[in-house]
Amino acid sequence: MRRRSLLIAVPAGLVTLAACGDDEDSGSSNAGDSATPEASATSGPPAPKIVDGPLPAITAGTKFGEKPTVAKGEGEPSKDLAVKTVIAGGGKAVAENDFVSANYLGQVWASAKVFDNSYDRKTPLVIQLAQGSIIDGWRYALAGKKTGSRVQFSVPPTWGYGEQGNEQAGIKGTDTLVFVVDVQDTYNAKSSAKGEEVPQDDAALPEVGTNTDGKAPSIEVPKADAPKKLVAQYVLEGDGAEVGAQDSVLVQYKGVVWDGGKEFDSTYSRKQLTSFSLQQVVKGWAQGLTGKKVGSRVLIVIPPDLGYGDNPPQGSGIEKDSTLVFSVDILAKM
């Protein structure tokens, strides 16, 4: 299992098939063995004042996407949040509560000790910029920045790990942290798969809408018997990395019951994306999404034995032994 980022303030709750009520908790979307500080149950500190320095020099790896080398901080760091856009991107602007995909390096101001970086793992972090999901310094520093940007910022303890620090990472409660972040992409409730359309020429299967405007696609279920085996096929085929059986994913989805086509769950209706591990969803989801490419929209038809069988979640609107139909947009692999 992949190492969990030290940035995460608290494990993200599983929203898997939300109305379907999966009782298991996924933990963090970057689950692993690293201990991380939990967010306080009380409200966080007030918003910081944002200043433009001081910040230590980036001495190597100066291009977007390159692992940077950052000098030791000189003198006393700012007590405020120092933020600098080193490279200005021209993409979408990041907003509070968006999920961002980013590569990053973090080190301690006073010692230049690198305590975490995603470049060596060759996998960007995908995480929500929401209170309780990530340290507050990231939320405030990245809001309003555009994808394609490299952002450098220093985080005092108040908006980092607080007085408790992070012992595992070697961060003391008095340490100011320095980050360099390459913002690759951002996702929100209006995000959609952007792949190439794939012909839907099997009249015995549901037809899924191909709109890419962030609105819920239509799902037209045929007046025919449901398939007895799992169906998982592209509606829009993306060109991203393939999803592995151990991966977590960030998705938009809509689910309907085969008999009658009634919708029972949808991220579009909630206006909130969902992230989950494929190890902690019903078998039909796990098998249906494994091997599919990021950026795709996938039709999944789940027979009862790979769904909820004779024990559907209470209050879900799903009857016993129902065949379920989903449209799933795979936005990112986590």
Side-chain angles (χ1 to χ4, degrees):
M1 189 173 288
R2 218 173 63 217
R3 181 180 180 275
R4 180 178 172 182
S5 168
L6 292 167
L7 295 174
I8 300 170
V10 65
L14 182 68
V15 199
T16 305
L17 308 181
C20 301
D22 193 337
D23 292 331
E24 295 186 33
D25 191 341
S26 72
S28 162
S29 60
N30 289 72
D33 299 327
S34 296
T36 59
E38 293 191 353
S40 171
T42 59
S43 60
K49 178 182 178 181
I50 296 179
V51 296
D52 58 8
L55 287 165
I58 300 174
T59 59
T62 57
K63 295 180 180 179
F64 183 89
E66 292 182 343
K67 179 183 176 181
T69 300
V70 182
K72 179 180 175 181
E74 295 183 4
E76 291 296 316
S78 175
K79 299 299 183 184
D80 300 311
L81 188 68
V83 182
K84 178 182 180 182
T85 300
V86 181
I87 299 171
K92 298 171 289 186
V94 175
E96 176 81 2
N97 294 316
D98 280 4
F99 284 81
V100 294
S101 173
N103 275 311
Y104 67 95
L105 178 140
Q107 67 184 46
V108 176
W109 173 282
S111 65
K113 176 189 174 185
V114 175
F115 58 83
D116 197 13
N117 89 90
S118 66
Y119 299 92
D120 289 346
R121 294 194 289 273
K122 302 188 186 305
T123 302
L125 173 71
V126 178
I127 197 166
Q128 189 175 21
L129 293 184
Q131 187 173 18
S133 294
I134 195 168
I135 58 174
D136 285 334
W138 270 59
R139 293 172 49 221
Y140 293 112
L142 295 184
K145 304 303 182 186
K146 293 184 177 180
T147 57
S149 295
R150 168 166 283 192
V151 185
Q152 183 182 19
F153 50 98
S154 66
V155 182
T158 300
W159 297 283
Y161 294 102
E163 295 179 356
Q164 77 270 25
N166 186 310
E167 183 178 357
Q168 181 180 5
I171 299 170
K172 301 190 295 291
T174 56
D175 283 337
T176 289
L177 311 178
V178 178
F179 291 96
V180 176
V181 179
D182 289 334
V183 184
Q184 295 186 336
D185 211 340
T186 185
Y187 310 95
N188 56 38
K190 296 181 180 179
S191 295
S192 175
K194 301 292 185 183
E196 294 291 327
E197 288 190 27
V198 175
Q200 301 179 69
D201 48 16
D202 189 341
L205 292 177
E207 183 174 352
V208 177
T210 57
N211 57 296
T212 58
D213 55 3
K215 296 180 180 179
S218 59
I219 302 178
E220 300 294 333
V221 181
K223 295 180 179 179
D225 291 338
K228 302 299 183 183
K229 294 183 178 181
L230 177 72
V231 174
Q233 59 187 38
Y234 289 119
V235 176
L236 303 172
E237 184 173 357
D239 58 4
E242 289 189 359
V243 175
Q246 308 294 318
D247 286 334
S248 294
V249 289
L250 178 67
V251 302
Q252 287 264 42
Y253 71 87
K254 173 181 173 180
V256 305
V257 180
W258 182 283
D259 291 334
K262 181 181 178 181
E263 180 181 313
F264 61 86
D265 194 15
S266 170
T267 56
Y268 303 94
S269 298
R270 294 195 301 275
K271 297 180 172 22
Q272 184 177 14
L273 302 180
T274 290
S275 62
F276 53 81
S277 165
L278 291 193
Q279 295 180 296
Q280 294 167 316
V281 290
V282 294
K283 291 180 181 179
W285 267 70
Q287 294 176 20
L289 293 182
T290 297
K292 296 297 188 288
K293 299 174 188 175
V294 172
S296 299
R297 175 170 298 163
V298 183
L299 163 68
I300 306 179
V301 181
I302 303 179
D305 62 318
L306 296 178
Y308 293 103
D310 62 359
N311 188 30
Q314 186 175 4
S316 65
I318 302 172
E319 296 183 0
K320 292 182 179 181
D321 298 319
S322 290
T323 295
L324 309 179
V325 181
F326 290 94
S327 169
V328 183
D329 282 16
I330 310 171
L331 301 178
K333 186 168 74 167
M334 306 175 73

